Amino acid sequence: MKKVYCDISATTPINIDVAKLMLDIQKNIFGNPSSVHKYGQEAHAVIEKARIQVANAIGCHQEEIIFTGCGSESNNIAIKGIIKSKSHIISSSYEHPSVMNVLKSLEQKGSSITFIKPDKAGQINPDLIEKKITKKTKLISIMFANNELGSINDILKISKIAKEKEIILHVDAVQCVGKLPINLNELDIDLMSLSAHKFYGPKGIGALFIRKGIDLNPILDGGGQELNLRPGTENIAGIAGLGLAIKKTCQNIDENINYIKKLENRFIDQLNKYKIDYILHIEDRLPGVLAIGFPGIDGQSLLIALDLKGIAISFGSACSSGTTKASKILLDAGINEDLAKSTLRISFGKIHNYDDIDYVAAELANIINRINK
Ligand code: PLP
């Protein structure tokens, strides 16, 4: 049976060159990067090379990057690290749990949080953020693009507001690397979270951009690794894998975006050819990420039927999977409950070709016609 993995937003397969590099490092470079001898220096050099690769890819200085255990950890280090006393924080109602639950725990400890809901385009309105700023606002934490909707926020505008009001801006950019060009020279972002497994790198490794001058309290106690913010002997192979993956994904970004948009258009043409009734919720979206409703069709059943045909998609995000309830994110974006329950996230990437797209559309048409009968 043909297998097509269309859940790129949940995670990506690892790039083969990245996997080879990691294997080589696992086999040959085992020194502790903190050791003074040559073994240590060799391991240290691997980490510093990756740091430069990340900095070059996103337009910052290498000293502004620390490596972490994953995107969730980057979000925790950033937000808990910057909120040192009870404060006011502005965020959105559709952040990833690794932001949302950190904010809720800060709320329980006395901070106050304003959660702004997305508009119908799936975006957080920068004017609403500006209106909610008070004298006590210490942090704005807004994701670059939403993992379920694929909608993209106007981070440039939000960053200008934050800068003007002298408020720290944290951005969860986990979904964006390789899908959108990111240049931190042009954006007044103070803290930004990344995760390698979303851009064809390994799982269990992330990075956090910390703009020079931003002072974070560590959330873990231990050795002095990673600017005293992420103690523990470094995951050398994972860090090298992240470095190469970000370099590769950002090198050909325009080409990749064009290619993925072609795949998307092909998919939509095919849906139209099969006369499938569908609603694409978000117009201005990350390339390849489709939040798509099939009116009258139960999303969970569709997911299972597609899985039996070797096609992997998701109902909501990977973090909210296993639930049959309508996604709160879709409801917050003004999608009615029935349609939300009929909505799937299909995400395409550079691993796909037209055959894959045609197979997914044909199987979708078969299943939907069968259910409708
Ligand atoms: N932030 C967003 C927007 C995500 O989509 C994810 C992963 O799904 C994360 C954070 C967490 O990243 P990680 O899986 O590396 O912890």
Side-chain angles (χ1 to χ4, degrees), residues 25-167:
I25 290 174
Q26 293 283 27
K27 278 169 37 187
N28 300 313
I29 300 184
F30 65 89
N32 186 322
S34 301
S35 299
V36 176
H37 49 61
K38 289 232 162 28
Y39 292 89
Q41 286 174 25
E42 201 180 23
H44 181 77
V46 170
I47 295 176
E48 294 319 307
K49 178 175 174 187
R51 215 185 298 282
I52 294 170
Q53 286 169 322
V54 178
N56 288 344
I58 59 175
C60 66
H61 300 287
Q62 66 199 81
E63 313 84 66
E64 294 176 312
I65 296 296
I66 64 161
F67 293 108
T68 66
C70 56
S72 299
E73 193 179 282
S74 298
N75 286 337
N76 271 264
I77 293 174
I79 300 172
K80 290 181 187 162
I82 204 74
I83 299 299
K84 297 165 190 170
S85 55
K86 291 176 194 172
S87 323
H88 176 237
I89 303 165
I90 299 175
S91 188
S92 78
S93 66
Y94 67 2
E95 295 294 315
H96 186 265
S98 58
V99 169
M100 184 58 81
N101 291 335
V102 170
L103 295 177
K104 285 187 179 161
S105 105
L106 289 171
E107 198 171 31
Q108 277 173 359
K109 290 178 189 141
S111 285
S112 73
I113 326 283
T114 302
F115 292 106
I116 298 177
K117 284 190 183 178
D119 59 19
K120 282 209 178 285
Q123 291 170 331
I124 304 302
N125 183 341
D127 298 335
L128 276 184
I129 295 180
E130 190 163 17
K131 273 195 200 136
K132 297 289 179 188
I133 292 173
T134 71
K135 280 192 182 123
K136 288 196 171 150
T137 310
K138 165 93 184 173
L139 174 71
I140 297 173
S141 178
I142 299 286
M143 67 202 321
F144 215 128
N146 182 265
N147 44 318
E148 232 178 283
L149 297 166
S151 51
I152 304 164
N153 283 316
D154 188 347
I155 292 296
L156 178 61
K157 190 160 180 201
I158 295 171
S159 78
K160 283 185 179 153
I161 295 169
K163 172 133 196 203
E164 197 201 308
K165 306 275 181 186
E166 297 181 5
I167 295 167

Side-chain angles (χ1 to χ4, degrees), residues 12 20 93 134 160 170 235 240 259 329:
T12 52
K20 281 185 188 154
S93 66
T134 71
K160 283 185 179 153
H170 166 250
N235 170 1
Y259 178 66
I329 292 180

